[in-house]
Amino acid sequence: MPTPLPIAITAGTAGPWRITAIAALAGASLPQAARLAMHEGPDVPPPGAWQLRGVANSNLRYTAEVERARLAGVQQGLGRPGATRAALIPMSKSEAWWDLAQDARRALLEEQSQHIAIGLEYLPAVARRLIHCRDQGGEFDFLTWFEFAPEHEVAFDQLLARLRATAEWGYVTREVEVRLTRD
Amino acid sequence: MPTPLPIAITAGTAGPWRITAIAALAGASLPQAARLAMHEGPDVPPPGAWQLRGVANSNLRYTAEVERARLAGVQQGLGRPGATRAALIPMSKSEAWWDLAQDARRALLEEQSQHIAIGLEYLPAVARRLIHCRDQGGEFDFLTWFEFAPEHEVAFDQLLARLRATAEWGYVTREVEVRLTRD
């Protein structure tokens, strides 16, 4: 795992991803825009219609060694040629969540909600990136990014439905889903 | 616990704290300067001789609920009138540390090194603030800040010696100690 990598996700008129839908699941939505790009590195591109920034490749927050090994055995990276569908899901959790000590957040996330175990079922079809922004003063607490082939979109929708039914999601205060197609 | 609070620590010619010593324990030191100030909030003051920035009041990284309750029962806040001594100890840990999954870092920090348990022995004499900066691209991974009365300086030195002898400190790659007096 390399050192933390600054990320800027910019929506506007340019970028390899065409925005096909923007929908708010909780809290305020994001403005409509035509295209989207994810930029890596410290040089921040122009802000476009809207821009979300954070850091990828940070240290693991909840995953245990045995889980990390299981994930590493099957997960695949971003940018696969066949992965022409993506979803950007920026999220925030409540103060009640962030107030919890580490063991309580871990227990909610995995022992109660099986967040890691459920996600594992959808690997390698769904490739993921987690971008943190709460400590950077961002509008959201984190930005989640998923890439998959068109034939795996139904499975991805099922993954989202299962996660959103968990106890962990009871702490989600804002969630916006941005669907994307690379063309 | 409030939301993450941006912090800027500025060394130069101004500020309530007089710098009495700067010493590197591991890695490069910081330049000498006469005085130091800790600024809270998003407005960043001028950089001075050197400036370190990060975020306080972030979520707990390793502390469990039972430990948090024990700490909360005895710890005191910054700014006590009698606490006229302080130490700023900026630190970084190795890639090997940050590469570890959450359970392995927790086990090293507490089950092996008793970091939280040792710290608890020095409360309420020593007041603490932890400032994170690794995900902000800072020069250090975090900045630790301690305040205590002159009569507790010997105990504080003992606390540092005990922590530096732990397995956790085997992962420390840079550590600078800045001693301060408020006058």
Side-chain angles (χ1 to χ4, degrees):
Chain A
M1 184 184 291
T3 51
L5 176 67
I7 300 286
I9 294 176
T10 310
T13 56
W17 295 98
R18 179 164 53 85
I19 297 175
T20 56
I22 299 181
L25 281 291
S29 191
L30 287 164
Q32 297 300 320
R35 303 194 71 88
L36 183 144
M38 175 155 51
H39 178 85
E40 301 181 350
D43 303 324
V44 180
W50 48 265
Q51 184 174 72
L52 302 172
R53 292 164 61 182
V55 61
N57 297 344
S58 184
N59 60 289
L60 295 172
R61 301 300 207 265
Y62 302 107
T63 310
E65 289 291 357
V66 63
E67 294 158 346
R68 187 242 292 266
R70 238 177 258 145
L71 293 164
V74 285
Q75 71 196 354
Q76 294 195 5
L78 302 184
R80 291 173 295 179
T84 57
R85 298 288 180 276
L88 165 68
I89 306 186
M91 301 181 65
S92 293
K93 287 177 173 171
S94 66
E95 284 307 299
W97 171 267
W98 295 113
D99 267 357
L100 293 170
Q102 177 66 27
D103 59 336
R105 273 179 280 109
R106 158 72 199 193
L108 267 164
L109 182 132
E110 191 58 20
E111 281 69 31
Q112 289 188 50
S113 301
Q114 302 197 277
H115 187 138
I116 297 166
I118 291 171
L120 191 60
E121 292 181 42
Y122 298 86
L123 299 183
V126 178
R128 308 159 307 138
R129 169 173 267 176
L130 175 57
I131 300 154
H132 294 278
C133 30
R134 183 170 188 262
D135 281 350
Q136 285 74 23
E139 183 181 354
F140 293 91
D141 290 342
F142 30 74
L143 318 174
T144 58
W145 176 269
F146 307 91
E147 292 180 8
F148 44 86
E151 62 265 32
H152 293 131
E153 189 141 27
V154 170
F156 177 69
D157 289 340
Q158 187 191 56
L159 166 61
L160 293 183
R162 290 177 67 187
L163 289 173
R164 286 171 179 155
T166 63
E168 183 194 350
W169 249 252
Y171 292 87
V172 171
T173 54
R174 190 173 176 202
E175 181 177 9
V176 181
E177 192 177 306
V178 181
R179 293 292 187 129
L180 303 150
T181 292
R182 199 174 60 202
D183 53 17
Chain B
M1 185 184 291
T3 52
L5 176 66
I7 300 287
I9 293 176
T10 309
T13 55
W17 295 97
R18 179 165 54 86
I19 297 175
T20 57
I22 299 182
L25 281 292
S29 192
L30 287 164
Q32 296 300 319
R35 302 194 73 87
L36 183 144
M38 175 155 51
H39 178 85
E40 302 180 349
D43 303 324
V44 181
W50 48 264
Q51 184 176 71
L52 302 172
R53 293 165 59 183
V55 60
N57 297 344
S58 183
N59 60 289
L60 294 172
R61 301 301 207 263
Y62 302 107
T63 310
E65 289 292 357
V66 63
E67 294 158 346
R68 187 244 290 268
R70 237 177 260 143
L71 294 164
V74 285
Q75 72 196 353
Q76 293 195 5
L78 302 184
R80 292 173 294 180
T84 57
R85 299 289 180 276
L88 165 68
I89 307 186
M91 301 182 64
S92 292
K93 287 178 174 171
S94 65
E95 284 308 300
W97 171 267
W98 295 113
D99 268 357
L100 293 170
Q102 177 66 27
D103 60 337
R105 273 179 280 111
R106 159 71 199 192
L108 266 163
L109 183 131
E110 191 57 20
E111 281 68 32
Q112 288 188 50
S113 302
Q114 301 196 278
H115 187 137
I116 298 165
I118 290 171
L120 191 60
E121 292 180 43
Y122 298 86
L123 300 183
V126 178
R128 309 159 306 138
R129 168 172 267 177
L130 175 58
I131 300 154
H132 293 278
C133 30
R134 182 170 188 261
D135 281 350
Q136 285 74 22
E139 182 181 354
F140 292 91
D141 290 343
F142 29 74
L143 320 174
T144 59
W145 176 269
F146 307 90
E147 292 180 6
F148 44 88
E151 61 266 31
H152 293 132
E153 189 140 28
V154 171
F156 177 69
D157 289 340
Q158 186 191 55
L159 166 62
L160 292 183
R162 289 176 68 187
L163 289 174
R164 287 172 179 155
T166 62
E168 183 194 349
W169 249 252
Y171 292 87
V172 171
T173 55
R174 191 172 176 202
E175 181 176 8
V176 181
E177 192 178 307
V178 181
R179 293 291 188 131
L180 304 149
T181 292
R182 198 174 60 202
D183 51 19

